[in-house]
Amino acid sequence: TLPLPKVLTDILLQTALLGIDTTAKLSKPTIELTKNTLLPQIIIPLLEEIWELYTPIRLQTWMKVVPTSLKNVGTLLWDTEAGRTLGEKAGHLAENVVDMASSEVSRQCCIDATISLIKLAEALHTPEIKSLLDQCAVGACRVVDVLSSGKAKQVWFDVSDAVWAAIEVGSDDATVVLLAEGCAQVCFAL
């Protein structure tokens, strides 16, 4: 286990310094005490220390990158003419989508699609479908086994070589002449 963070020990010490009255209850901190002492000297450093000790480094990095990226997107969308135009067009689109989605035809479509889904689920609820799904799972495992074999790796390299050879044939001068002649003959026949 990690040692007790320094800030946490400080908060305990600060609580002792604040005092305990004669009824053995903690004194209620005032707003002034909270603003000037608890937040800046205890709570914020405690949260920062917990963040640095227990948060994975990658998450800390993301939490630095994401706000900057969002700020840049905001600048792009609100401070440029193209961004403002996009916002206007998106607003019109949203209004029209809401109008379409709230229409009587849309509601009827939703009802019919729900009924179709229910009927499909009822039709598929058979032992034969269960058996088919089990066999598909076995088949998928076999495909994974084949694709992860050493022979499959060689096939992928062979595919790469064959595609490159086809590209070389396609870029050859003889191919250009062949295609031009074929195009001329098709055009003549039409």
Side-chain angles (χ1 to χ4, degrees):
T1 64
L2 291 172
L4 198 59
K6 179 184 179 327
V7 174
L8 194 52
T9 56
D10 288 348
I11 197 169
L12 295 172
L13 180 62
Q14 189 70 25
T15 303
L17 293 176
L18 287 175
I20 299 177
D21 67 16
T22 57
T23 60
K25 293 182 183 174
L26 279 174
S27 301
K28 293 183 181 178
T30 63
I31 292 177
E32 190 70 25
L33 176 68
T34 301
K35 270 179 28 181
N36 295 331
T37 304
L38 291 178
L39 278 175
Q41 295 178 15
I42 297 174
I43 295 175
I44 292 175
L46 174 64
L47 294 176
E48 288 173 349
E49 189 170 346
I50 290 171
W51 174 261
E52 291 172 6
L53 284 175
Y54 299 108
T55 306
I57 298 297
R58 291 184 87 181
L59 180 59
Q60 290 180 26
T61 303
W62 272 100
M63 293 307 292
K64 292 175 187 171
V65 170
V66 169
T68 303
S69 298
L70 291 176
K71 180 181 177 278
N72 291 339
V73 168
T75 300
L76 174 70
L77 294 178
W78 288 291
D79 294 346
T80 64
E81 186 61 35
R84 287 188 291 273
T85 301
L86 174 62
E88 183 180 315
K89 301 280 184 191
H92 290 299
L93 173 64
E95 289 174 13
N96 290 331
V97 166
V98 168
D99 289 345
M100 177 194 68
S102 62
S103 69
E104 185 61 37
V105 175
S106 179
R107 283 190 284 275
Q108 189 60 49
C109 177
C110 183
I111 291 168
D112 292 341
T114 303
I115 292 170
S116 298
L117 182 63
I118 291 168
K119 290 185 179 200
L120 176 65
E122 289 173 348
L124 292 176
H125 190 253
T126 65
E128 292 82 8
I129 294 295
K130 172 69 172 124
S131 176
L132 172 68
L133 291 174
D134 290 344
Q135 187 58 44
C136 286
V138 170
C141 290
R142 299 291 181 245
V143 168
V144 169
D145 290 344
V146 168
L147 293 177
S148 63
S149 70
K151 292 178 182 181
K153 293 175 185 175
Q154 184 58 49
V155 167
W156 287 114
F157 284 106
D158 292 345
V159 165
S160 173
D161 292 342
V163 168
W164 180 250
I167 290 171
E168 286 182 325
V169 168
S171 66
D172 192 85
D173 291 340
T175 304
V176 174
V177 171
L178 174 83
L179 291 173
E181 287 177 358
C183 180
Q185 290 176 5
V186 168
C187 289
F188 178 75
L190 295 176

